[in-house]
Structure formats: C-alpha cells, structure tokens
Amino acid sequence: MTAQVSTPRRGRFSGIRRGEGLAGWLFTAPIIVILGVFLFIPVLMALWVSFSDWSGRGSPLSPSVGFVGLDNYAAVTTGGGLPERNFGIALRNNAWYVLLVVPLQTILALFLATLVNRAILRGRGFFRTAFYFPSVTSSVAITVLWLFLFSTTGVINEVLSWVGINGPNWFADPRGIVHVALGGVGVRKGPEALTGGGFLGISWWEWLAGPSIAMSAFILMAIFTTSGTMMLLFIAALQNVGVELGEAGMMDGATGWQRFWHITLPQLRPTLFTVLTLGLIGGWQVFDQIYTGTQGGPAKTTVTPAYLTYQAAFINQDWGQGAAIAFILFLIIIFFAALQRWALRDRPVSKRRARQYQVKGKTS
Amino acid sequence: MTRKTRALTGAGALVVAGALVLSGCGGGSGFDDTGDSGGEGGLTSSDDALTILIGSSGEAETAAVEDAVAAWSEESGVEATVSVANDLPQQLSQGFAGGSPPDLFYLAPEALAGYAGNGSLVAYGDELDNKDDFYPSLVENFTLDGEFYCAPKDFSTLALIINTDLWAAAGLTEADIPATWEDLTAVTKTLTTGGAVGLAFGPEYQRVGTFMAQAGGSLLADGEPVADSAENVEALEYVQARLQDGTFAFSTDIGASWGGEAFGNQLAAMVIEGNWITGALSADYPDVAYAVAELPAGPAGQGTLQFTNCWGMAADSPNQEAALSLVEFLTSTDQQLAFSEAFGPMPSIQSAADAWTEANPDLSAFLTGADYAQFPPTVEGATDVIADFNAQLESLKNGNPQEILDSVQTNLEAVVG
C-alpha cells in the first residue's frame, strides 16, 4: 500500500447512526469510571506524592502538603547520601537479575515449547503440565520452598556435596558471583580505575560484582517459575506457524537447526516481543520473593527498587521518596520495553541479503 | 469538536471529578482533626470503643494481651478490641494515612521519630500516673525533643547464654564465666571444637554493639555521631580478630538464621541474645541446658544493649483519655508481671524488679544489664544507617573496621544534621 485511500467523512451523528456515539459512551462509562477511580487517579496521586513532601498522615491532597519539585528524585539520584546509595545498590541488584533472568527464561521457554510441540513426543500433555506447574503455584509458596532447598544444610548443598562441592551458604553469602570467581583466581581488590569512580553512590567495582549468591538463587527461582508461562505463549505461537514453509525449507535441503533459526524463529517475532516485554516488566518489579524471603539481606544484595519503594514509604515514612523510586522504575521499564521494540522491529531486507535471492547473471 | 478533543475533555472531566471525590473522602477524616488533638496538651475524650493493634510474638502473647484488655474493659466500661498485625509498620502507616489509626499500638523506638515527625502520635508520657516508675533509660528511649512520647511496655537486654553441657564437657566451671575480654578470648578458645564455635551472634549492630559499649563507644553521644571513635574501632578489631581465629562466628555463617537457632542446634557453645531466647529454647529445643550470665566487661567496663517497645497512642484517636487509662493498667506492676509470666519480657517499671528477679532467679543477668545498657539511636533515618552498618558488618571478617565505621559516621552525620 502506498497511497492512503481517503474516504469522505460524513457527519458523525447523522442518519441512522444518530445516537450511537452517546450509547457507546453510556455503555463504556462504568468501566471508564472504575478504571479511572481505581487505576488512573491513584497513579496520578502517586505522581503527585513523588513531587510533594507528604508525610503519610491524612490526605496527600490536603493544603498542608507542599510541592517540593524534584527533591525526592534528587535525593535518590544525586543526594550523595544513604538514599542514593541504597537506590544504586537496588538498581545494581535488579539490573543483574534482569540481565540473567530475561534471556535465560526466554531461551528456556522457547526450548521447552519446541520440545513439547513436537507431534512425535509421547505424553505431551504430561510434559506441558509439568513445565507449566511452577507458574501456577504461588510465588510465596515457591519462595518458602526455595529457602528450604537452598538452606545451608538443604537439598541443593547435599546434592552438590555428592560431587565434592562444598555448597555456599546461599541466603547468607553477600558476595557477588563475579567477585567470587575473581577471588578464585586471586583477584580480591578491584583496579583503581574501577574502585575510584562510580555511579549512584557505589563504585564501578561494586556494580560489576554480579548478583550475590542469594540473588542467584532468586534468579534460578524466577527462571524456574516463569518459563512455564512463557512456554505457553510460545506453544500458542508455534501452533500458528504453518508447516508449508518448513517443508519448503526441507526441500531446499535446510537442516533442522537452519529451519528453526531462519524459518520458525522469524515467525515467532511478535511472541518473542511479548515474552521479552513481560519478562522485562516482571524482572524489574520483583518484590514478593524479596519481601517473603530475605527482606533485602544479606548485606542488601537482594534489595530491589520495588522493595525499596515499600521500605522507603512504609518503614521510613519517606512517602515522596518511595513514590519517586516507583516512577523512576516506571521510566526504566518504559525505556527497556521501547529499546527492545526497536531492536525487534521489522527491518527491510538488507541489500547484502537481498542479493542472495536475486537471479544470477541478470543486471537490474 | 473533533473526536480526539472530545475524548480528552471527557477523560479530563472524569479525572477532576474523581480527584474531588477522593480528596473529599481522604480529607474529611484525615487532616481536619489535627487541631483538636494536640491543642494545649489535652487528650481527647469520648465514648468511642478502643482498638489496639499489636505485633504479637505468638499465641501466648496475644492471649495475655487480650485477657488484660478484657479485664480493663470490664473495670472501666469502655469497649476495646485487640487485633494482631501481620505487618505492623505497614498496617500502622495505612491507618495513619487513611486517618483511622488504631488508638493504641506497639511502637518500636526506631519508628518513633518518623511518626512523631508527621504528627501521628500524641506525646502522653508526662500524663502517666506511673511515669516515675519506668527505668530512666527506657524513658529516654522514647523521649524526642524533650517530650516523653509513650509508655515503654516492657524491655529486654542482651546477655551471654551458655550451653552448660558443652561448658562442663570442656572442663569449665562456674568460676570460668568470663568477666573480661581476655577471659572471653580464653573461654571461647577452650569451647571451640570441631562441632561448635565458642561464641556466636548475628552479624548486626544489635549484637556487635555490645562490644562497642564495653569498649566505651556508642553510635551517638549527647546527640552527636561518634561512630568512628577509637573505642568503636577497638571493639570491631577485637571481634574481627576472634572471627578470624574461628572462636567467634556469625550465626549466619554457621547455618543458623539467628543466635537462638545456632544455640539450639548446638552449633555454638555460647551466644549473645536477649531474653526472648528463653521462650524459643523451651519451645523448640527443650533438651538444651543453658545458663544466663552477664556479658563480660571490656576496656571501659560492662556494656550491653536494650530493646523495647512502647504503647503508641494515635493523635487521631477520639478517646485518648480512655487509652491513657488502659496504658496505665497495662504497665502496672501486677499486669507487667503477668505478661512476664505469660510470654517472658521484663517489666519496664522498677517497682516490679524484685518480684521479677524472685520469679526468674536464673535470668537475673538480663535485668542487671538494665543498669548499663545502651540503646540503638532513635533519630529519624537511623534505621537506614543501622541497616547499612549491618550490611557492612556481614563482611567484618575481611573488612576494615575503620572504613566501616567512617561510613557509618558519614551516614549518621547526614541524618542527625
């Protein structure tokens, strides 16, 4: 389609369609009001709180609450004090979490989906249910299970001991896994270039520490629980992929891997987008595991911005700061969602690629 | 009007209307009544029933408080209901924000400054009949800007809990109970075996702070931050040296979530804990025999930490007169002794001390500690500073005490200033 077809616009409330607009508004009014009162207005009020000095008593819209501009945002991003450091640590922890969880859960989900989508597999139903099972269990229950499995004398360490590994003290070890690995080869202190400078009150060396061992356990848990849901989305998409293209690929002599990579995967792109977006949002909002599991410990290495929001507001009575953190988190999520939308956009076929499909010996 | 502007106006009108509705219902009960409560220091009075929100340690505590409140209700004729919070700070905050807080509630000292700062609390301490009976350090614990806010409901101190079986097995006698750091070093060395460390405690200021007190240090002195003092450095260096030679251990490093668990599982021959450990031991580890001793003296003498909660009263409460009378009832000698018997805390009033010691001769070290106990800073923002301190203490074994304390000093200066 090149040119847009313009249709002549008629008056909207004329003839037989008169009154339909009004009826439409009338029918949608209840849900608009419900969404407005319970979703839209609270979000706006939270936005206002993030710009105010509301102390948590009475209404945030009362005249005694003052507008403080960007003070709350400044306190957590440039304040130089403990709030900034806490926010930096929380962002660091969560960034590692997202960096590991999102790709791994996507790959695992896709792998499981292709596995259980094969018509040849016996007991497909069983495997689908088994893989999906963790997703329908409450995250609190799974967290409790996880704390149990990963305790010092828990099952995981027991299994590790069979192969001669002295398992770590999972939920009590605050060291980052990158630092642990570096410590293994004798590097215990970062170079001056990394320890000197920093961002948000923590040094580059600390940023690069990797997720702590406790956070790694949560990362494993997130992959374990969410890949089932993501798998379901991939199965639905896979079932919409026609077999014809695959068969055509087979005729051209493409191997199974090539058919998956060049034929199936491109057709899964819309689903891939959904899965990655859901993963990013869920990853940046991790809260229940932290709240029920570690409350941010050991040594703050499992504090996340979402948990910090709760702590700032409810424990420290810094409601403005809590709201500000929530909105910074909102911006981060929007940014990453937009970024991957851009990365996964439909591109025109590149010239180099296009040349492969051109009939040889003919000049255009 | 185009379709878009029409939609926008519609949405706009809805937002405005909704905001008015919300601010209306929020405001009516929220900010209007700030005036009548504080006033001239007078308390509100009405026929309203009282609601009491507690953070209970278990069924024993809940039942004891419920019984006590019911007894008072009968006597005074004012109805009162007790509810147990599953997340006290969150539920309190919700009550204050919504303008309908409970009339009375458990309040931790570290939360005092925040709630007092936004006007949620009424400072009723001076109106208590039994005001002079409370331990002075507990009164100080709940005093902010010269105002005594709330009645300490009970308190605990930290002491040395000794596993008497392991003690005897190591060939130690009562005469060996450590009186100084040197003694402690020697005793823990004897007690440290393949199976257990000599002394364990949580990796937190709330335990390590006892060594700081014994060395003559503290976090705040006369309201000024003194975290980086030489005394504190000395204390951390002593603990660090013992952690390194393996005679001390953090409970988390030996696979226990807190000292009580390490002690119950016999992973440690001694722990530094408060009197809540007695309940945990009798419930979960009834076979472990133990004795309670005072903590050893450091270079500057004896020192320990005390922990307490008070009966907070809401500024928004419509019936503060009745609430005050309930607090006086709950903190009376008889009632506090009853609570102590039911779930183990120590009475916050001096007139109950003798009776308590008589009833708990084996635990007297806890009460003796009250004479020299410090308490964690209660200034607004101190919770975060201590949380950060605790995070750094977890790696004390390989850390640098001076650097850790310097950062605590900087953070404290930021919140005190």
Side-chain angles (χ1 to χ4, degrees):
Chain A
M1 244 199 293
T2 46
Q4 208 144 33
V5 187
S6 60
T7 48
R9 276 182 80 105
R10 268 189 289 156
R12 291 199 302 125
F13 296 108
S14 64
I16 202 167
R17 303 217 172 262
R18 179 186 298 272
E20 272 189 4
L22 187 67
W25 277 111
L26 213 62
F27 278 114
T28 46
I31 194 66
I32 293 177
V33 170
I34 289 171
L35 282 182
V37 170
F38 292 105
L39 194 82
F40 196 57
I41 294 171
V43 169
L44 284 184
M45 279 173 77
L47 188 63
W48 158 248
V49 167
S50 77
F51 290 112
S52 79
D53 60 359
W54 184 54
S55 62
R57 180 157 182 258
S59 162
L61 298 175
S62 83
S64 61
V65 175
F67 175 78
V68 296
L70 288 169
D71 280 8
N72 289 320
Y73 290 87
V76 293
T77 51
T78 55
L82 211 46
E84 183 194 345
R85 192 177 137 76
N86 284 340
F87 184 61
I89 291 174
L91 269 190
R92 188 269 314 261
N93 298 338
N94 214 338
W96 280 105
Y97 180 90
V98 170
L99 191 73
L100 290 168
V101 166
V102 174
L104 288 177
Q105 83 184 11
T106 310
I107 292 169
L108 181 66
L110 188 56
F111 174 73
L112 292 178
T114 44
L115 215 62
V116 299
N117 194 49
R118 290 151 72 128
I120 200 167
L121 183 75
R122 273 169 190 275
R124 278 200 298 176
F126 169 76
F127 285 110
R128 285 184 190 184
T129 316
F131 294 148
Y132 189 56
F133 201 69
S135 310
V136 288
T137 316
S138 134
S139 64
V140 174
I142 300 255
T143 308
V144 174
L145 173 80
W146 227 249
L147 291 176
F148 180 67
L149 286 178
F150 282 81
S151 80
T152 324
T153 50
V155 178
I156 303 286
N157 279 356
E158 183 68 31
V159 171
L160 286 177
S161 73
W162 295 345
V163 289
I165 298 173
N166 187 11
N169 195 348
W170 291 91
F171 283 108
D173 198 331
R175 291 174 303 162
I177 52 170
V178 174
H179 279 183
V180 172
L182 286 174
V185 294
V187 183
R188 297 202 188 278
K189 241 185 149 59
E192 181 60 31
L194 290 180
T195 49
F199 175 58
L200 288 176
I202 63 174
S203 71
W204 298 119
W205 175 246
E206 286 175 80
W207 275 97
L208 295 173
S212 70
I213 292 173
M215 193 52 131
S216 307
F218 279 132
I219 288 172
L220 288 175
M221 182 169 111
I223 296 168
F224 173 70
T225 50
T226 44
S227 24
T229 318
M230 306 307 190
M231 175 193 79
L232 214 62
L233 293 170
F234 277 126
I235 292 178
L238 280 171
Q239 286 175 348
N240 275 331
V241 171
V243 290
E244 303 83 7
L245 283 175
E247 282 168 358
M250 232 185 282
M251 296 300 290
D252 289 344
T255 63
W257 173 249
Q258 283 174 327
R259 271 179 285 137
F260 173 76
W261 192 251
H262 294 291
I263 297 172
T264 314
L265 197 58
Q267 296 187 76
L268 292 179
R269 194 169 353 180
T271 313
L272 200 61
F273 173 73
T274 312
V275 166
L276 286 173
T277 309
L278 287 176
L280 277 172
I281 295 173
W284 280 108
Q285 291 183 335
V286 51
F287 175 81
D288 7 358
Q289 296 92 310
I290 312 300
Y291 178 73
T292 45
T294 56
Q295 307 266 319
K300 292 188 186 177
T301 56
T302 58
V303 171
T304 63
Y307 183 72
L308 204 58
T309 305
Y310 164 81
Q311 206 178 25
F314 285 101
I315 311 294
N316 299 342
Q317 302 296 305
D318 266 327
W319 297 80
Q321 249 174 47
I325 295 170
F327 279 97
I328 296 175
L329 194 59
F330 169 77
L331 292 178
I332 291 174
I333 293 173
I334 296 281
F335 170 77
F336 279 102
L339 186 74
Q340 64 111 351
R341 192 187 159 95
W342 173 81
L344 283 179
R345 73 193 184 280
D346 273 319
R347 295 185 192 77
V349 178
S350 71
K351 279 200 176 131
R352 188 177 59 83
R353 244 301 138 83
R355 217 172 287 139
Q356 297 177 339
Y357 298 103
Q358 277 166 2
V359 183
K360 294 264 162 63
K362 206 177 172 188
T363 48
S364 55
Chain B
M1 225 186 219
T2 68
R3 183 188 220 113
K4 202 169 179 182
T5 51
R6 200 173 263 275
L8 277 178
T9 353
L14 194 75
V15 168
V16 172
L20 286 176
V21 170
L22 276 194
S23 60
C25 54
S29 51
F31 60 89
D32 288 347
D33 47 8
T34 43
D36 57 2
S37 57
E40 276 78 53
L43 299 176
T44 59
S45 170
S46 68
D47 297 333
D48 293 24
L50 294 183
T51 51
I52 296 119
L53 186 70
I54 65 170
S56 177
S57 63
E59 275 172 39
E61 180 167 0
T62 310
V65 176
E66 275 171 354
D67 290 349
V69 170
W72 173 82
S73 269
E74 194 145 316
E75 198 181 293
S76 66
V78 180
E79 269 184 61
T81 42
V82 177
S83 11
V84 178
N86 41 27
D87 186 339
L88 189 66
Q90 188 257 322
Q91 276 166 270
L92 272 184
S93 298
Q94 209 173 350
F96 290 137
S100 56
D103 301 274
L104 279 181
F105 42 85
Y106 282 13
L107 183 67
E110 63 267 21
L112 177 70
Y115 290 136
N118 66 21
S120 298
L121 300 178
V122 51
Y124 67 86
D126 287 334
E127 323 235 344
L128 287 162
D129 280 345
N130 54 352
K131 180 192 164 204
D132 298 326
D133 200 6
F134 294 104
Y135 286 97
S137 70
L138 293 177
V139 172
E140 199 189 329
N141 223 177
F142 294 108
T143 300
L144 195 69
D145 299 330
E147 284 201 88
F148 177 26
Y149 266 84
C150 49
K153 70 180 188 69
D154 48 36
F155 80 117
S156 305
T157 61
L158 296 175
L160 195 64
I161 322 293
I162 300 168
N163 182 320
T164 44
D165 291 338
L166 293 178
W167 186 265
L172 296 167
T173 64
E174 207 157 293
D176 296 309
I177 289 176
T180 62
W181 281 6
E182 290 74 34
D183 296 349
L184 186 66
T185 311
V187 168
T188 48
K189 200 168 175 190
T190 318
L191 285 169
T192 303
T193 58
V197 295
L199 176 68
F201 44 88
E204 50 193 352
Y205 160 73
Q206 289 84 344
R207 300 290 177 279
V208 178
T210 57
F211 291 97
M212 289 160 57
Q214 290 150 18
S218 61
L219 289 182
L220 288 182
D222 300 326
E224 292 301 315
V226 288
D228 58 354
S229 68
E231 290 84 4
N232 288 342
V233 176
E234 186 184 4
L236 289 201
E237 279 173 349
Y238 172 73
V239 174
Q240 185 179 43
R242 299 286 82 76
L243 286 172
Q244 283 171 351
D245 68 24
T247 53
F248 287 13
F250 286 139
S251 51
T252 44
D253 288 339
I254 51 176
S257 57
W258 66 294
E261 194 181 332
F263 192 78
N265 289 329
Q266 314 225 16
L267 299 168
M270 301 190 291
V271 289
I272 298 174
E273 275 302 335
N275 34 332
W276 48 81
I277 195 178
T278 58
L281 288 178
S282 60
D284 299 334
Y285 309 98
D287 300 332
V288 179
Y290 64 93
V292 180
E294 285 182 72
L295 288 170
Q302 287 191 291
T304 186
L305 295 178
Q306 74 183 22
F307 301 95
T308 177
N309 270 313
C310 76
W311 287 107
M313 195 188 291
D316 285 339
S317 163
N319 198 358
Q320 292 161 345
E321 296 274 0
L324 182 74
S325 127
L326 176 55
V327 170
E328 282 169 354
F329 178 83
L330 292 172
T331 53
S332 67
T333 314
D334 292 346
Q335 193 50 56
Q336 289 218 42
L337 286 170
F339 281 150
S340 174
E341 200 181 323
F343 60 100
M346 293 192 296
S348 56
I349 45 174
Q350 302 173 33
S351 61
D354 291 341
W356 189 84
T357 313
E358 219 165 276
N360 305 282
D362 300 339
L363 305 179
S364 60
F366 285 122
L367 197 59
T368 325
D371 296 340
Y372 47 82
Q374 289 185 2
F375 52 86
T378 54
V379 290
E380 197 170 356
T383 327
D384 270 358
V385 177
I386 292 173
D388 194 69
F389 187 19
N390 288 347
Q392 297 193 60
L393 279 178
E394 290 191 37
S395 37
L396 174 64
K397 193 173 173 182
N398 303 310
N400 180 331
Q402 183 73 56
E403 276 176 23
I404 294 174
L405 290 167
D406 284 347
S407 76
V408 178
Q409 177 75 9
T410 316
N411 293 335
L412 266 183
E413 279 167 6
V415 297
V416 169

